[in-house]
Amino acid sequence: MNKLTGVTALSRRKDKKPQVESKAEAKITTVMTRRNVTTGTSPVPMRLTENDKAELNLWLDELQEMSGKNISSAKLVRGLIHMRDKINDKKLIEAIKDVS
């Protein structure tokens, strides 16, 4: 068998890579990170009664109409977590006691 000859991806990268002579000439690049990556994490189960599920779906429908975007229950919970400093804790605790 003849040895294969040609250009490989590694050799093309080496050819295109500029040789940096000093650290002063090196450029800094930033890498964009993806937010809200939930793949790879275990799902959080939520136990709701049928009435609570219906109320949640009604709330999600209202939010979708107002925003014009698809909003899932996970997005709703993430939004609530994000605005937790603005929520009145005492009223929230009372509401939790009322539904328990």
Side-chain angles (χ1 to χ4, degrees):
M1 281 178 73
N2 292 339
K3 208 174 199 185
L4 295 175
T5 58
V7 181
T8 64
L10 183 60
S11 63
R12 280 194 301 268
R13 236 182 290 136
K14 286 181 182 178
D15 292 341
K16 288 184 181 180
K17 187 187 254 185
Q19 299 298 325
V20 178
E21 294 176 8
S22 68
K23 288 186 179 180
E25 294 178 13
K27 293 182 180 181
I28 297 173
T29 59
T30 58
V31 178
M32 212 170 97
T33 58
R34 291 183 57 194
R35 293 180 56 212
N36 295 334
V37 177
T38 57
T39 56
T41 61
S42 60
V44 177
M46 287 180 40
R47 293 185 202 142
L48 299 173
T49 64
E50 291 299 322
N51 290 339
D52 291 338
K53 286 180 189 178
E55 288 291 326
L56 176 63
N57 288 330
L58 287 174
W59 190 16
L60 290 173
D61 290 340
E62 291 173 8
L63 292 173
Q64 288 175 13
E65 281 183 24
M66 287 189 282
S67 69
K69 295 182 179 182
N70 188 20
I71 298 176
S72 65
S73 57
K75 286 182 184 178
L76 175 62
V77 171
R78 284 197 299 264
L80 290 171
I81 291 169
H82 182 72
M83 62 177 287
R84 81 177 214 195
D85 294 334
K86 299 174 185 172
I87 296 173
N88 186 339
D89 293 335
K90 291 179 182 178
K91 287 185 179 180
L92 178 62
I93 290 170
E94 287 300 318
I96 291 171
K97 286 179 183 177
D98 289 342
V99 296
S100 296

